Amino acid sequence: MRISKPAWLHHDADKKTATAIFSVDFHPDGQRLATGGMDGKVRLWRTDAVRGGSDEPRLATLAAHTGAVLCVRFSHGRGQFLATGSDDMVVLVWELDRGADYAGLGAGSLGDAGSEVWRPTRRLTGHASDVCDMAWSPQNRYLATCGLDNRVLVWDARRGFARVATLDAHTGFVKGVTFDPAGKYLASQSDDKTLRIWRTSDWAPAATVDAPFADNIFSTYFRRPSWAPDGSCVAAANAANGRVPVAAVVRRAAGWPADTSFVGHHAAIECVRFSPRVFRVGDASACVCAAAGQDRGVSVWLTSQPVPLAAATGLFAGSVFDLAWHSPEPASCGAGDDAVVALLAACSFDGSVALLELTRAELGAPVPAAEQGAMLAAHGCTRAYAAAATLADLHELSDDDAAGSQGGHVIAETVEQVQLEGLKASAE
C-alpha cells in the first residue's frame, strides 16, 4: 500500500493557514477529487497530481456557500452533477460548464483560478440547520440529504430536484445517509443511537436498528454509514461493543441483525465507506470497506476476513471526517500483482488529505460487472438495473436525462443569482 499526502492540498490558502477539510469524494472517472472545507469553499484537484504525477494540481475552486462545506458528493455515471452541503443550511447542485470562457473569468466568478468552471444549477433549501451528509441513489434519480434539524430530505432529479419526501422519525441530529445499491432502501444514522432503514418505494420506515449503539458513549461530528456494493449489508459508524468503539455491520436479513463489527480503532469512528467494486479474494468474493475517526488513522477491511487488511495509524494530526474510493474498470488496472486496483482518499480536521493506493496483491481482482450485477439481482432488482448501478455508462437515468427533465433548469452566473433563485423558490 502506497500513501501520498501532498502538502499543497489544503483549504484557505489565501490566509496561509490550513483549515479543516470535512468531506472528500472522487469523480466517477477517477480524474478529479473534490474537497469541502471550513473556509466555505469546494476545491477540485487532479487525482494524478495527488498521486505525484502532475504539476497542475487544482482544477477549480467553487465559492457559493456562505458557511463551512460539510459534504461533497458526485453523481454516479459520468459525474455531471456535484452536490455540496453546508452549515449555511443550503444544498447546491453544480454542473461543469464545458463552454465557459476561462480566460474571461473575473473576480466574483463562481470558479476561481483553475482549468474548469463548475456552476450551481440548483439551490435546494428546506433544512433548518447544518447539512451534514448526502447520497445519490444508484441511478441518480434521488438525492438524499440530512442535517442537524433531525431530518432527511429526498429530492427527485426527474422533477427538477423537487422535494418528494421528508423523513422526520429521528429524534436527534441526523449525521449520515447511504442508499442501497439495489435501489430498495435508504439508510440514515443519527445521534439518537439508531440506524433507520427506509423503503424507497414509498419512503416509509422499514426497520430501526439500535442494538449496536446502545452502549455508545462517544460523541462524533459525523456518523457516516455505507452500503456494501453487493447489497448484502450496511456498515454503520460510531457503534460500540461495551466501551470499545467499533463499526457495526448490519446484515440485509430478517430483523437486520448486527452480529459483526470492525474492531480495532481506539477512539470513536466518524465514517465508514465501501469501495463501489466487489473483489475476488481467492475463491470467494468480498467487499472492501474503510473506517476512520478520532484516533486519526484509517483501517481497511474485507468482509470475508475478521481482521483488518491494512491499517495506517497516526496518519493525521486530527480526526478523520470522510472517506472516498475510486476503483478503475478492471480492463484498465493492468495484469500484475502490483497493479493499483483501488484508490482511497481520507480527509481530516487537521486540513490535510491522504491518498492510499491498494494493489491486486492486497485486494484481489475486481469482480466483473455482470457478476456484481447478479449479486444485486438476488436482492430483488433486475439484472439490467443491477448492471446500471455498477457500470458508469449504463444508468437507466443518466445525468443528461436528469438535467433535461428539469424544466426551469438555470445555470447561475453569480453567487447573487444563486441566492435569488433560492428566494424565488421560497416565495413559490
Side-chain angles (χ1 to χ4, degrees):
M1 181 173 66
R2 177 176 177 266
I3 301 176
S4 305
K5 195 178 178 186
W8 47 258
L9 200 166
H10 56 81
H11 280 241
D12 212 8
D14 294 340
K15 297 181 181 178
K16 308 300 181 184
T17 302
T19 59
I21 298 179
F22 293 113
S23 188
V24 63
D25 200 37
F26 280 107
H27 189 276
D29 66 11
Q31 297 179 18
R32 302 176 181 88
L33 183 69
T35 56
M38 186 177 285
D39 60 355
K41 296 178 181 178
V42 178
R43 299 184 189 272
L44 302 181
W45 314 89
R46 296 183 188 274
T47 304
D48 58 359
V50 182
R51 299 177 69 182
S54 172
D55 296 329
E56 299 179 1
R58 192 172 65 176
L59 290 167
T61 299
L62 316 183
H65 283 291
T66 59
V69 178
L70 303 181
C71 188
V72 294
R73 293 291 182 260
F74 283 106
S75 60
H76 306 295
R78 293 186 298 279
Q80 179 180 348
F81 297 123
L82 172 61
T84 60
S86 169
D87 67 7
D88 64 8
M89 303 183 290
V90 172
V91 174
L92 295 177
V93 180
W94 304 74
E95 289 187 70
L96 177 63
D97 186 351
R98 300 184 184 277
D101 178 9
Y102 302 128
L105 292 173
S109 166
L110 297 182
D112 292 348
S115 59
E116 293 184 345
V117 174
W118 289 71
R119 300 190 187 279
T121 59
R122 284 291 168 183
R123 183 181 190 273
L124 309 181
T125 59
H127 281 288
S129 190
D130 303 17
V131 180
C132 290
D133 201 22
M134 300 179 293
W136 293 92
S137 65
Q139 298 173 321
N140 301 327
R141 170 69 187 274
Y142 299 112
L143 174 67
T145 62
C146 67
L148 302 189
D149 56 2
N150 301 1
R151 301 188 302 168
V152 178
L153 305 183
V154 183
W155 316 84
D156 188 342
R158 287 182 179 169
R159 299 174 55 189
F161 288 98
R163 193 201 311 178
V164 294
T166 298
L167 313 180
D168 56 5
H170 282 293
T171 59
F173 298 157
V174 187
K175 296 182 174 180
V177 287
T178 181
F179 270 102
D180 165 24
K184 301 294 184 180
Y185 299 107
L186 168 71
S188 58
Q189 192 172 349
S190 167
D191 275 356
D192 64 10
K193 298 186 178 182
T194 66
L195 176 78
R196 292 183 180 269
I197 311 295
W198 312 84
R199 293 193 302 266
T200 58
S201 59
D202 57 4
W203 305 111
T208 300
V209 179
D210 55 13
F213 317 105
D215 296 330
N216 191 307
I217 60 171
F218 309 111
S219 176
T220 53
Y221 206 101
F222 300 101
R223 293 175 182 254
R224 287 175 162 154
S226 182
W227 214 298
D230 64 356
S232 63
C233 60
V234 186
N238 200 14
N241 184 352
R243 300 300 185 186
V244 178
V246 302
V249 180
V250 181
R251 289 191 292 116
R252 187 191 197 120
W256 297 87
D259 45 19
T260 304
S261 298
F262 298 145
V263 184
H265 283 268
H266 303 297
I269 295 174
E270 295 268 355
C271 55
V272 291
R273 198 158 184 186
F274 277 99
S275 164
R277 288 276 179 184
V278 179
F279 288 86
R280 177 73 62 196
V281 182
D283 296 329
S285 62
C287 301
V288 57
C289 185
Q294 295 177 5
D295 63 2
R296 306 174 183 182
V298 176
S299 61
V300 179
W301 303 76
L302 289 171
T303 53
S304 60
Q305 298 179 2
V307 295
L309 174 71
T313 60
L315 192 57
F316 297 98
S319 297
V320 184
F321 285 148
D322 202 8
L323 299 160
W325 288 93
H326 173 65
S327 296
E329 293 294 329
S332 65
C333 291
D337 284 345
D338 60 347
V340 175
V341 296
L343 302 177
L344 171 63
C347 65
S348 170
F349 182 77
D350 70 9
S352 64
V353 171
L355 184 69
L356 290 68
E357 302 181 38
L358 293 100
T359 65
R360 180 177 278 106
E362 294 165 323
L363 284 185
V367 165
E371 185 176 342
Q372 187 167 331
M375 296 175 187
L376 291 176
H379 296 302
C381 63
T382 66
R383 286 180 179 267
Y385 185 101
T390 304
L391 297 178
D393 58 349
L394 287 180
H395 288 273
E396 285 185 354
L397 173 63
S398 69
D399 293 330
D400 288 341
D401 291 335
S405 67
Q406 290 182 14
H409 190 66
V410 175
I411 294 182
E413 297 293 341
T414 65
V415 175
E416 289 75 16
Q417 185 175 348
V418 177
Q419 296 168 342
L420 178 60
E421 289 299 316
L423 292 174
K424 289 180 179 177
S426 299
E428 294 172 355

